[in-house]
Amino acid sequence: MTYKAFIFDLDGVITDTAHYHFLAWKRLADRLGIPFDEHDNERLKGVSRMRSLELILEKSTKTYSPEQMHEMAERKNDDYKELIAEITSHDILPGVAEVFAWLKAKHYKIGLASASKNAAFVVERLGITRDFDYIADAAKIPNSKPAPDVFLDVAKAFNLPSSMCVGVEDAAAGVQAIKAAGMFAVGIGDPAVLYEADLVFPSMAAFDSKKVAG
Ligand code: B16
Ligand code: MG
């Protein structure tokens, strides 16, 4: 096989921060009187902070200025940061440690391509910063998923062409980003949702590295 690097998404693949995002968005939606539940939250997975806010405000009867929206996003992020401050290594999803150990033993590069500007903090809390050869900084990525930018940024850091990289994602927008980058896409979750992926495993615990890289 020609692959040399595996590039992972964070939320939904390495750890489940989606629930904390939900709680923080829910607090904002309640304050604004906008209906918002776990089902609505599905649409926000892998989507940037501002785009997430726009999706929530679709159900609002009021319109808000860019300044107001900026303030809402800041407040949500403050609430979110308070929630994720308690994350520990126990929050690493089952299967991740085994997959990383296998990849390291085979000398694959391991990268992180998260849309989250809090990714470095989360990874630090999980205690796995040193497992990554490169962590993309979402604040420096021009276009968020489904654009390929964050995955291309990691490939560039590794000095590898896309054809030598495998992307791993739990969100449809993320799988689209991997495919737009020209990489092999592994989906984690429901094949019906992640139908654009080249291969789908139901969870990281079911991730079969040999099926991807041999
Ligand atoms: P932040 P991922 C994404 O993480 C989340 O899935 C998404 O819900 C969130 O809005 C986005 O990060 C931005 O996060 O507000 O912390 O910058 O799946 O790309 O690891
Ligand atoms: Mg994700």
Side-chain angles (χ1 to χ4, degrees):
M1 277 290 180
T2 52
Y3 302 126
K4 296 241 181 288
F6 278 66
I7 306 173
F8 293 87
D9 172 49
L10 179 64
D11 178 22
V13 172
I14 309 281
T15 189
D16 190 15
T17 32
H19 184 62
Y20 299 122
H21 280 295
F22 169 70
L23 293 176
W25 284 127
K26 178 76 182 142
R27 205 179 287 180
L28 174 81
D30 285 351
R31 258 197 317 265
L32 299 172
I34 298 171
F36 181 66
D37 59 21
E38 292 268 13
H39 177 74
D40 299 315
N41 193 53
E42 283 301 307
R43 287 177 75 202
L44 313 187
K45 287 189 180 172
V47 169
S48 75
R49 197 181 306 163
M50 274 325 271
R51 183 67 194 133
S52 297
L53 177 61
E54 284 166 15
L55 291 171
I56 290 170
L57 294 181
E58 276 178 4
K59 285 195 181 166
S60 171
T61 48
K62 293 185 198 147
T63 48
Y64 296 95
S65 68
E67 291 73 27
Q68 285 172 313
M69 285 175 64
H70 183 75
E71 200 186 300
M72 286 174 197
E74 288 254 298
R75 201 155 159 192
K76 178 267 171 179
N77 194 47
D78 288 344
D79 288 343
Y80 176 67
K81 285 204 294 204
E82 224 175 277
L83 292 165
I84 58 174
E86 303 305 323
I87 284 178
T88 70
S89 59
H90 294 295
D91 294 296
I92 299 172
L93 285 170
V96 171
E98 290 78 3
V99 171
F100 276 26
W102 191 89
L103 294 176
K104 276 177 191 300
K106 300 269 179 187
H107 305 292
Y108 287 99
K109 292 239 180 264
I110 299 179
L112 189 71
S114 171
S116 175
K117 290 176 179 149
N118 297 297
F121 176 77
V122 171
V123 164
E124 191 68 46
R125 292 290 319 161
L126 294 171
I128 54 171
T129 303
R130 284 191 298 139
D131 285 334
F132 292 97
D133 297 293
Y134 180 75
I135 295 175
D137 179 355
K140 295 191 179 133
I141 304 297
N143 303 297
S144 48
K145 301 167 190 177
D149 302 29
V150 69
F151 286 96
L152 292 175
D153 177 70
V154 181
K156 192 171 165 220
F158 289 160
N159 206 14
L160 288 173
S162 293
S163 57
M164 288 189 178
C165 301
V166 176
V168 186
E169 261 285 354
D170 71 309
V175 167
Q176 285 163 8
I178 297 170
K179 291 317 295 173
M183 298 176 185
F184 187 85
V186 177
I188 303 296
D190 182 352
V193 177
L194 306 173
Y195 60 92
E196 287 163 275
D198 296 299
L199 191 61
V200 179
F201 299 116
S203 66
M204 280 300 281
F207 193 105
D208 185 350
S209 310
K210 285 187 237 63
K211 261 198 181 158
V212 187

